[in-house]
């Protein structure tokens, strides 16, 4: 067993990565390939060379596939580079497809394009059906233009290969992501007319698309059709419950430390924490015997119940069908007495984890251990993905430790999940994320767009804009194109740090790059950025674009987007702003939810909430439309929405404008009874009303109450109160002056004028007396 400086084990010497010390040094070449090149140069008969090449090509394909399967991407890349040297005809389309699939899974667009260019420029080799399937999947995941996927599918049709169901499913998923209802239905009909039988992937795409489009009736229809076409029973069999293995020493230690409240530091994939003597002894014993410890630590070490993901009725039905089909295939393979290898178990494990069936996944891995079936990188990555999505980070960390113990070499996907896991904890582990990121680069693994985006998201959650910008620069230097999630993360970060100029900058870049791939979040953020920058005319243009896309069916309104549009309308200086706001407001009021749709997963409601009512109430009060303001408040009460401080402020402001003392006092008392503390602005409104009604004694009592609650009055409110007291209660003016000094409110000329008038009036009364 060989190990490199990171502790990664390799079964054979040739499996170990060959270090590249520099570009100037000559790369090591496989001896067999070197002999073939030498024989060609020396003039050996071509038939002999071709005969040797034909014998070796199958072994080369197997070797390349084995390295990719093990996650040895660096070695696979170097080996493929040697196989495709000029003058050597051992490369096949299968080898090209293997590398294309590898870089497709890694989302490495640069390397994917290089391999594809080599294939297209090859003299004898041409892409086959599998090549076009991989290319179409890559375009689906990386391109933001619908035209790109259409062009690849058209090239497949013109190549002479009949499109497979997998190719149709990929294009169907692209149409669904762009909300193309007509194209989705037409392509589904084409699949049937071509004589292809839709599988669970086809139906899954359709069901999820119709649920997203708020068509639960159509989703139910597709579900019933799936059952009849695929001959699925209404009550699929449950997964067999397997006997659990005994708890190992490591699991018992984990449970004991949990019960005592003492948390031991466990070694992660980087090996940063030294192992205990007991653990080192077990490792040495495993090296001597050639067997690793039983792998039930991730499943037996913790007893906390796992969270269950919430699915709609249709999605739950689809999950049952997928599990039933996978289990049927698994049991059929087992009954046929064929060898049950790792791939067979991984196929069923993937279905379990994809549908959040954690208990079934535990039992299946326990069966793998019982039958001595080795676990590979795919096994670990599938489980890591499950625990990361279910936010069970403790189990994921144990998986990373066990992965290192079994000598499984992590690939880019593994590191991406580990970085994402460490960054999404309740207290993000910045040091762990950075360590994974650096270790990934030290091992020669190329960070992908997902890696860079995850690191940017980490620094965004910590409001570390400098570090996020540094990662962005590294991403650009590496030639990795940012995707929609990258831009969304950056925009979210700058919005939280209130750097609205950067928000606008990245929104424009995103708009230029992704054309129609916009969400409600994008428009809401851009709209509010212009609003914060006091560029109302630009924000209004964004609203016009939103309404146009809604009309075209390319965008669906949600509550937060509607509220942002109302905020922009409220602060516009145009005369027709209230008219435009009322059109949107009436649309929000008219939305109703049918009783049939209450139990299904539907689009986000645009029904008005407390924020919406407060905005409209403020606009009506500002415009002096009393009846509409009262009607809005009655509508709010009818929807059982409890008023907040902002609502009461607007109601008091409305009563002050109408000079209704009783209404203002009742609202003020109700607010205090509900435990809502009035603000200085509300006290100022009430004092202003009392001053207008020539009742300064009530205003003075309210001013003293506001000071006792910590709500300090400003100079304008004091001057209003002093003006009223100087006329009707001049003896109270000295109290007001004392209150102003205690509140550190500096008097102005009007204050002195009111104080002088009160002093003269008091002296005149004394003279008369």
């Amino acid at each position: 067993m060989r190990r490199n400086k990171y502790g990664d084990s390799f079964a054979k010497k040739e499996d170990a990565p060959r270090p590249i010390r520099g570009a100037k040094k000559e790369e090591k070449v496989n001896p067999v390939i070197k002999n073939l090149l030498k024989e060609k140069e020396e003039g050996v008969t071509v038939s002999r060379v071709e005969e040797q090449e034909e014998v070796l090509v199958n072994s080369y394909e197997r070797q390349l596939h084995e390295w990719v399967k093990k996650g040895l991407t660096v070695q696979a890349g170097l080996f493929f580079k040697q196989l495709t040297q000029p003058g050597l005809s051992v490369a096949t389309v299968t080898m090209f497809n293997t590398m294309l699939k590898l870089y497709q899974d890694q989302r490495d667009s640069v390397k994917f394009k290089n391999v594809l260019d080599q294939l297209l420029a090859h003299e004898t080799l041409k892409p086959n059906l599998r090549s076009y399937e991989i290319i179409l999947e890559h375009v689906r995941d990386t391109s933001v233009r619908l035209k790109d996927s259409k062009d690849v599918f058209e090239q497949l049709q013109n190549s002479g290969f009949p499109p497979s169901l997998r190719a149709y499913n990929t294009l169907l998923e692209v149409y669904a992501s762009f909300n193309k209802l007509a194209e989705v239905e037409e392509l589904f009909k084409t699949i049937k007319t071509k004589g292809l039988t839709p599988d669970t992937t086809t139906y899954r795409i359709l069901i999820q698309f119709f649920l997203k489009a708020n068509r639960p009736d159509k989703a139910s229809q597709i579900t019933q059709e799936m059952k009849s076409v695929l001959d699925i029973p209404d009550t699929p069999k449950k997964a067999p419950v397997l006997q659990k293995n005994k708890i190992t020493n490591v699991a018992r230690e984990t449970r004991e430390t949990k019960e005592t409240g003492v948390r031991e530091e466990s070694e992660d994939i980087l090996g940063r924490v030294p192992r205990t003597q007991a653990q080192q002894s077990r490792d040495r014993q495993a090296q001597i015997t050639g067997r690793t410890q039983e792998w039930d630590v991730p499943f037996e070490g913790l007893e906390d119940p796992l969270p269950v993901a919430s699915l709609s009725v249709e999605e739950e039905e689809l999950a049952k069908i997928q599990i039933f089909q996978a289990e049927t295939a698994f049991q059929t393979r087992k009954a046929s007495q064929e060898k049950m290898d790792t791939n067979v178990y991984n196929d069923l494990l993937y279905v379990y984890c994809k549908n959040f069936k954690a208990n079934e996944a535990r039992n299946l891995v326990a069966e793998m251990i019982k039958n001595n079936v080795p676990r590979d990188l795919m096994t670990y990555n599938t489980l890591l993905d499950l625990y990361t999505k279910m936010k069970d980070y403790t189990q994921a960390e144990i998986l990373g430790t066990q992965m290192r113990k079994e000598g499984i070499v992590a690939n880019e996907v593994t590191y991406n999940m580990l970085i994402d896991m460490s960054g999404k904890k309740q207290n993000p582990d910045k040091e762990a994320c950075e360590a994974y990121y650096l270790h990934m680069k030290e091992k020669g693994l190329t960070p992908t767009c997902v890696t860079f985006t995850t690191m940017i998201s980490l620094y965004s959650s910590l409001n570390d804009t400098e570090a996020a910008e540094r990662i962005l620069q590294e991403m650009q230097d590496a030639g990795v194109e940012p995707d929609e999630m990258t831009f969304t993360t950056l925009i979210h970060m700058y919005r939280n740090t209130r750097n609205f100029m950067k928000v606008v900058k990245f929104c424009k870049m995103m708009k230029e790059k992704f054309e129609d791939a916009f969400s409600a979040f994008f428009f809401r953020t851009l709209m509010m950025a212009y609003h914060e920058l006091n560029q109302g005319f630009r924000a209004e243009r964004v609203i016009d674009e939103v309404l146009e896309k809604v009309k075209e069916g390319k965008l669906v309104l949600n509550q937060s987007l509607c509220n942002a549009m109302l905020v922009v309308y409220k602060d516009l200086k145009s005369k027709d702003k209230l008219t435009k706001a009322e059109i949107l407001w009436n649309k929000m009021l008219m939305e109703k939810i049918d009783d049939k749709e209450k139990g299904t997963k539907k689009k986000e409601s645009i029904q008005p909430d407390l924020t919406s009512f407060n905005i409209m109430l403020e606009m009506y009060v500002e415009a002096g439309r009393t009846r509409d303001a009262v009607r809005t408040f009655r509508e709010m009460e009818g929807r059982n929405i409890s008023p907040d401080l902002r609502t009461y402020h607007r109601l008091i402001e409305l009563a002050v404008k109408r000079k209704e003392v009783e209404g203002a006092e009742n609202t003020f008392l109700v607010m205090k009874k509900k435990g809502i503390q009035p603000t200085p602005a509300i006290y100022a409104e009430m004092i202003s009303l009392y001053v207008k009604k020539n009742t300064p004694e009530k205003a003075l009592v309210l001013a003293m109450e506001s000071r006792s609650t910590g709500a300090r009055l400003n100079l304008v409110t004091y001057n209003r109160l002093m003006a009223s007291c100087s006329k009707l209660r001049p003896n109270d003016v000295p109290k007001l002056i004392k209150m102003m000094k205690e509140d550190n409110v500096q008097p102005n000329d009007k204050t002195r004028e009111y104080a002088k008038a009160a002093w003269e009036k008091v002296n005149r009364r004394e003279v008369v007396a």
Side-chain angles (χ1 to χ4, degrees):
M1 186 71 68
R2 299 176 178 271
R3 293 183 179 272
N4 61 8
K5 63 180 181 178
Y6 301 112
D8 301 317
S9 61
F10 303 95
K12 300 179 182 179
K13 182 178 180 180
E14 55 267 22
D15 289 348
R18 301 184 179 92
I20 302 177
R21 300 292 181 182
K24 294 182 180 180
K25 290 189 178 182
E26 184 178 358
E27 295 180 358
K28 294 182 180 181
V29 184
N30 189 292
V32 181
I33 298 176
K34 189 174 183 179
N35 290 335
L36 287 175
L37 292 172
K38 185 178 179 181
E39 288 181 354
K40 283 192 174 184
E41 292 176 358
E42 293 176 354
V44 181
T45 57
V46 178
S47 60
R48 177 186 168 189
V49 176
E50 290 179 349
E51 183 180 352
Q52 287 184 332
E53 291 176 352
E54 186 176 355
V55 173
L56 291 170
V57 66
N58 292 331
S59 63
Y60 287 154
E61 287 180 353
R62 288 194 300 271
Q63 181 66 58
L64 186 64
H65 177 74
E66 189 67 23
W67 277 346
V68 171
K69 181 181 175 182
K70 290 181 179 180
L72 304 175
T73 56
V74 178
Q75 296 89 304
L78 293 174
F79 187 54
F80 179 76
K81 185 177 181 181
Q82 294 174 4
L83 292 174
T84 54
Q85 290 184 75
L88 191 63
S89 57
V90 294
T92 62
V93 180
T94 303
M95 296 180 185
F96 278 98
N97 290 345
T98 301
M99 297 306 295
L100 287 173
K101 181 60 178 174
L102 169 64
Y103 296 134
Q104 152 64 12
D105 293 338
Q106 295 178 353
R107 303 293 191 270
D108 194 335
S109 301
V110 178
K111 292 183 179 179
F112 185 92
K113 185 177 182 302
N114 292 338
V115 175
L116 181 59
D117 291 341
Q118 282 183 292
L119 177 59
L120 296 176
H122 204 279
E123 297 179 355
T124 58
L125 300 179
K126 298 297 179 184
N128 58 11
L129 177 60
R130 180 58 182 150
S131 307
Y132 281 108
E133 289 176 350
I134 299 172
I135 296 170
L136 190 59
E137 291 171 0
H138 179 73
V139 173
R140 174 200 64 189
D141 296 337
T142 58
S143 178
V144 293
R145 297 191 306 174
L146 179 61
K147 185 177 180 298
D148 294 340
S149 298
K150 286 184 176 180
D151 292 343
V152 174
F153 192 80
E154 185 177 351
Q155 291 176 14
L156 171 58
Q157 291 176 320
N158 297 332
S159 66
F161 298 105
S164 62
L165 180 61
R166 182 168 186 166
Y168 277 112
N169 286 344
T170 305
L171 185 61
L172 189 69
E173 192 171 2
V174 173
Y175 282 144
S177 64
F178 282 90
N179 297 322
K180 300 293 184 181
L181 178 60
E183 286 82 351
V184 166
E185 293 178 341
E186 183 65 28
L187 189 62
F188 184 55
K189 292 179 182 178
T190 304
I191 293 175
K192 295 180 179 179
T193 56
K194 293 292 183 180
L196 300 174
T197 303
D199 59 0
T200 52
T201 302
T202 314
Y203 288 112
R204 173 183 59 81
I205 296 170
L206 291 170
I207 291 172
Q208 292 179 350
F209 170 72
F210 287 119
L211 287 175
K212 183 180 177 182
N214 194 25
R215 296 279 301 278
D217 53 339
K218 188 68 175 178
S220 300
Q221 179 184 343
I222 294 294
T223 303
Q224 295 302 323
E225 179 182 341
M226 175 177 61
K227 287 183 178 181
S228 61
V229 171
L230 301 180
D231 193 18
I232 304 297
D234 293 332
T235 57
K237 298 178 182 179
K238 295 184 179 180
V241 179
L242 302 175
Q243 186 177 3
K244 296 182 179 180
N245 291 353
K246 295 181 180 180
I247 299 177
T248 60
N249 295 332
V250 178
R252 192 177 295 109
E253 290 171 4
T254 307
R255 186 177 62 183
E256 288 173 357
T257 55
K258 188 175 180 181
E259 291 173 355
T260 56
V262 179
R263 180 183 177 185
E264 290 185 2
E265 293 184 338
S266 61
E267 180 185 12
D268 61 8
I269 197 171
L270 300 180
R272 293 173 294 169
V273 180
R275 299 177 65 76
T276 63
Q277 292 183 357
Q279 291 171 333
Q280 292 176 4
S281 176
R282 287 194 295 270
D283 290 342
R284 286 193 298 270
Q285 185 67 24
Q287 292 180 8
I288 295 172
T289 60
R291 295 181 59 187
T292 56
Q293 191 176 6
E294 283 188 337
W295 194 56
D296 52 0
V297 179
F299 307 98
E300 302 290 348
L302 298 176
E303 299 176 356
D304 293 341
L306 289 170
V308 179
S310 59
L311 300 175
S312 66
V313 177
E314 288 77 12
E315 289 176 336
E316 186 66 34
E317 190 70 25
L318 180 61
K320 291 180 181 179
I321 294 172
Q322 289 178 342
I323 292 172
F324 172 77
Q325 287 188 326
E327 289 177 347
T328 303
F330 182 81
Q331 296 297 338
T332 304
R333 177 70 177 266
K334 184 184 292 187
S336 65
Q337 302 298 324
E338 295 184 25
K339 183 180 179 182
M340 302 291 289
D341 58 3
T342 307
N343 293 332
V344 178
Y345 281 95
N346 283 345
D347 291 341
L348 181 57
L349 184 66
Y350 172 76
V351 175
Y352 282 149
C353 294
K354 179 183 176 183
N355 294 288
F356 301 98
K357 302 299 180 182
N359 293 328
E360 287 81 352
R362 291 169 185 247
N363 295 336
L364 184 63
V365 177
E367 182 179 343
M368 292 178 71
I369 299 168
K370 181 180 180 181
N371 297 333
N372 294 323
V373 178
R375 281 74 58 195
D376 61 2
L377 181 62
M378 184 66 180
T379 312
Y380 279 103
N381 283 348
T382 304
L383 290 167
L384 273 175
D385 182 58
L386 170 67
Y387 288 127
T388 303
K389 289 180 179 178
M390 299 181 79
K391 298 182 180 181
D392 195 347
Y393 302 130
T394 306
Q395 293 277 33
E397 288 175 352
I398 298 175
L399 273 176
T401 304
Q402 190 69 30
M403 187 174 178
R404 172 181 169 80
K405 288 173 58 180
E406 291 200 2
I408 304 295
V409 181
N411 63 0
E412 291 87 344
V413 178
T414 314
Y415 278 105
N416 289 341
M417 288 188 288
L418 290 171
I419 294 172
D420 182 60
M421 173 195 70
S422 301
K424 286 186 176 179
K425 293 180 179 179
Q426 188 174 4
N427 297 317
D429 193 346
K430 178 181 176 182
E431 294 181 358
C433 292
E434 292 175 341
Y436 286 132
Y437 178 68
L438 293 175
H439 188 240
M440 179 181 182
K441 294 195 293 185
E442 288 174 359
K443 291 190 66 175
L445 300 175
T446 304
T448 62
C449 181
V450 177
T451 313
F452 288 117
T453 304
T454 307
M455 290 298 296
I456 292 173
S457 177
L458 165 70
Y459 293 124
S460 173
S461 63
L462 300 174
N463 291 329
D464 191 350
T465 56
E466 293 183 1
E469 290 173 351
R470 173 174 54 80
I471 296 295
L472 179 63
Q473 186 62 45
E474 291 182 15
M475 185 178 185
Q476 294 172 347
D477 295 341
V480 179
E481 290 292 331
D483 60 3
E484 187 177 357
M485 181 58 66
T486 311
F487 282 106
T488 303
T489 304
L490 289 167
I491 291 169
H492 190 274
M493 177 184 68
Y494 287 119
R495 186 194 67 176
N496 290 344
T497 55
R498 301 192 65 79
N499 191 341
F500 296 108
M501 294 296 293
K502 287 288 184 70
V503 171
V504 173
K505 173 187 173 181
F506 282 102
C507 282
K508 288 182 178 179
M509 291 172 61
M510 183 178 177
K511 190 174 183 179
E512 293 174 359
K513 183 175 177 60
F514 295 103
E515 295 182 357
D516 291 337
F518 301 129
S519 62
F521 167 81
F522 170 83
F523 285 110
R524 183 180 74 250
T525 307
L526 181 59
M527 192 188 308
M528 295 308 297
Y530 282 132
H531 177 262
E532 293 290 340
L533 294 171
N534 295 323
Q535 298 180 7
F537 65 99
R538 297 185 187 276
E540 191 173 9
R541 289 179 187 174
V542 177
I543 293 179
D544 295 339
E545 186 177 357
V546 168
L547 296 177
E548 184 66 26
K549 289 191 177 296
V550 170
K551 186 177 180 181
E552 295 174 359
K554 296 180 179 179
L555 183 68
V556 178
L557 290 175
N558 60 23
Q559 195 178 75
S560 57
L561 181 58
C562 291
N563 288 346
M565 295 166 67
L566 290 176
V567 170
V568 173
Y569 282 138
K570 180 177 72 70
D571 293 334
L572 286 177
K573 296 181 180 179
S574 58
K575 296 181 179 179
D576 59 342
K577 65 177 185 179
L578 186 54
T579 304
K580 295 179 179 179
E582 284 182 320
I583 294 174
L584 177 62
W585 178 247
N586 291 330
K587 185 176 182 179
M588 295 171 69
L589 291 175
M590 289 172 61
E591 188 193 55
K592 301 293 182 183
I593 301 179
D594 296 335
D595 293 336
K596 297 180 180 179
E597 299 179 356
K598 287 183 179 180
T600 61
K601 187 177 180 181
K602 64 184 293 297
K603 69 175 182 179
E604 188 176 352
S605 171
I606 63 171
Q607 290 195 19
D609 58 355
L610 178 60
T611 304
S612 314
F613 277 104
N614 283 340
I615 295 172
M616 289 305 300
L617 194 62
E618 187 174 346
M619 293 183 73
Y620 284 134
V621 171
E622 182 182 346
R625 293 172 55 172
T626 306
R627 291 184 178 179
D628 292 326
V630 174
R631 177 174 52 82
T632 302
F633 182 70
R634 299 301 179 208
E635 178 73 22
M636 182 178 177
E637 289 182 327
R639 292 174 179 258
N640 296 323
I641 297 178
S642 301
D644 64 350
L645 178 63
R646 186 178 177 185
T647 312
Y648 286 117
H649 188 184
R650 298 308 163 205
L651 292 173
I652 291 174
E653 185 180 352
L654 178 64
V656 170
K657 283 190 174 184
R658 299 173 65 181
K659 296 182 180 180
E660 296 178 353
V661 179
E662 185 178 355
E665 288 178 340
N666 291 336
T667 304
F668 189 74
L669 291 174
V670 170
M671 179 178 62
K672 290 198 293 184
K673 284 183 179 179
K674 289 190 176 183
I676 301 176
Q677 182 61 39
T679 62
I682 295 178
Y683 279 111
E685 292 284 354
M686 293 296 297
I687 290 172
S688 174
L689 177 62
Y690 288 137
V691 167
K692 290 178 181 178
K693 288 295 184 177
N694 294 325
T695 54
E697 63 280 0
K698 292 185 178 181
L700 189 60
V701 171
L702 206 59
M704 297 177 69
E705 178 186 330
S706 69
R707 295 180 73 250
S708 64
T709 59
R712 305 294 180 181
L713 304 178
N714 57 16
L715 179 62
V716 176
T717 307
Y718 273 116
N719 281 346
R720 287 177 180 173
L721 189 54
M722 191 169 289
S724 178
C725 288
S726 64
K727 295 179 181 178
L728 302 175
R729 298 177 65 89
N731 292 329
D732 292 332
V733 171
K735 293 181 182 179
L736 289 174
I737 296 175
K738 184 179 179 181
M739 290 166 58
M740 290 179 65
K741 289 182 179 180
E742 292 175 353
D743 292 344
N744 294 324
V745 178
Q746 297 296 327
N748 59 5
D749 293 338
K750 285 188 176 181
T751 313
R752 298 184 184 92
E753 181 181 345
Y754 296 142
K756 183 179 179 180
W759 181 76
E760 291 177 350
K761 186 172 291 189
V762 171
N763 288 341
R764 192 180 305 115
R765 287 179 180 177
E766 290 178 354
V767 170
V768 171

